[in-house]
Amino acid sequence: MTKDLEDTRPPTRFGLFMERWLDRLRMNEHLFDLLAAIVIGILCGFGAVAFRLLIDGCHTLFWGESHLTLAFMEGVPWWRRILVPALGGLLVAPIVYYFAREAKGHGVPEVMLAVATRKGIIRGRVAIAKAIASAITIASGGSAGREGPIIQIGSALGSWVGQVLKVSARKIRTFVGCGAAAGIAATFNGPIAGALFAVEVILGEFGVAQFGPIVISSVLATVIARHHFGSGPVFDVPKYELASTLELGPDLLLGLLCGVAVSYTHLTL
């Protein structure tokens, strides 16, 4: 009964003002998409920063050190290297099971499934559950990385923005792409890579109307991440010099073998 009364309660003046303002804004589609992309980029940029800080905090909680090195781990007792990952798994399981079951798995396939079968609808709580569960998994020594979780976190934030603004299913999918691009761009300091990944992998289609907002979100998120962590490369790639042209032979063979492996994988799916 109480719920029915709440549903029939007239909207407040502020609510009416926001609805009218959004209706006027929707009339200018390009401006609306631009502002939404800016909001998503800012949210995902700070989300990526919070996710990284959460991982560092969990590192400190489990190991007593925020930045782990191989030398540090060699000095950790063997029993602790077994116990801590097991404890991390025990903590993650109830978070995913009771709070948001969509948060299980790598992250990218779940986002692609939401785009393909659920019109891009992803619950907002998935971002929180994925961030906490992934931070615990990564910090405790689980076999996981940051790319899958941050893509799902960003996509969930983008989808949530679309649901709040009550946009069409097509725009929600675009906002999911904005979130995925912004998340991966902020995490790995790669705005172009984030935008192209979202277009090619998450959405699976290229359109000028979609690509513009995705690039804006990606760049904004990168700016926020660089402000907090600097503009240096995430991974230090060692310098490589070609000593002899004979080295091209093994490289050519490796490329052929990888091509055969990928073709075999597609044929067996």
Side-chain angles (χ1 to χ4, degrees):
M1 184 67 180
T2 304
K3 185 176 180 180
D4 294 337
L5 290 175
E6 291 178 355
D7 293 340
T8 57
R9 187 177 299 171
T12 61
R13 290 185 178 180
F14 178 75
L16 289 173
F17 171 78
M18 289 300 297
E19 288 182 4
R20 292 172 182 172
W21 184 76
L22 286 174
D23 288 339
R24 292 177 181 177
L25 192 59
R26 289 190 185 98
M27 296 177 66
N28 191 332
E29 185 176 359
H30 296 294
L31 179 61
F32 180 80
D33 292 346
L34 173 64
L35 293 178
I38 291 174
V39 171
I40 294 171
I42 293 174
L43 286 176
C44 293
F46 284 110
V49 172
F51 181 53
R52 184 167 173 178
L53 295 177
L54 185 60
I55 294 175
D56 292 341
C58 290
H59 272 143
T60 304
L61 178 64
F62 287 119
W63 305 102
E65 183 72 25
S66 60
H67 300 285
L68 304 183
T69 62
L70 182 59
F72 174 82
M73 292 304 297
E74 288 177 347
V76 175
W78 65 269
W79 57 266
R80 191 176 179 186
R81 280 182 273 177
I82 296 175
L83 181 61
V84 171
L87 177 61
L90 290 175
L91 293 174
V92 166
I95 294 174
V96 174
Y97 186 83
Y98 292 106
F99 195 66
R101 298 189 183 183
E102 305 97 311
K104 67 179 180 180
H106 180 270
V108 177
E110 288 75 17
V111 174
M112 295 173 66
L113 181 65
V115 171
T117 63
R118 295 196 297 271
K119 300 179 181 179
I121 300 297
I122 305 173
R123 293 189 297 171
R125 65 169 61 186
V126 172
I128 300 174
K130 191 68 175 181
I132 297 174
S134 299
I136 294 174
T137 301
I138 295 171
S140 63
S143 180
R146 288 183 293 169
E147 66 280 357
I150 196 58
I151 290 170
Q152 191 171 17
I153 292 169
S155 298
L157 291 174
S159 179
W160 175 76
V161 170
Q163 293 173 60
V164 170
L165 296 178
K166 299 178 181 179
V167 298
S168 64
R170 182 172 180 80
K171 282 194 181 298
I172 286 183
R173 286 194 291 266
T174 301
F175 291 171
V176 168
C178 290
I184 199 168
T187 302
F188 297 103
N189 195 16
I192 297 177
L196 293 177
F197 175 87
V199 171
E200 295 179 359
V201 178
I202 301 300
L203 299 181
E205 59 180 349
F206 180 85
V208 177
Q210 295 174 315
F211 193 64
I214 289 175
V215 171
I216 292 171
S217 296
S218 182
V219 171
L220 271 176
T222 305
V223 170
I224 293 172
R226 287 184 179 182
H227 173 74
H228 287 82
F229 303 118
S231 58
V234 177
F235 303 105
D236 293 326
V237 180
K239 294 182 178 180
Y240 176 77
E241 295 181 359
L242 187 66
S244 172
T245 55
L246 296 176
E247 296 179 13
L248 296 176
D251 294 339
L252 178 61
L253 179 61
L254 179 61
L256 292 173
L257 291 175
C258 290
V260 171
V262 172
S263 300
Y264 175 77
T265 302
H266 281 284
L267 290 174
T268 55
L269 290 178

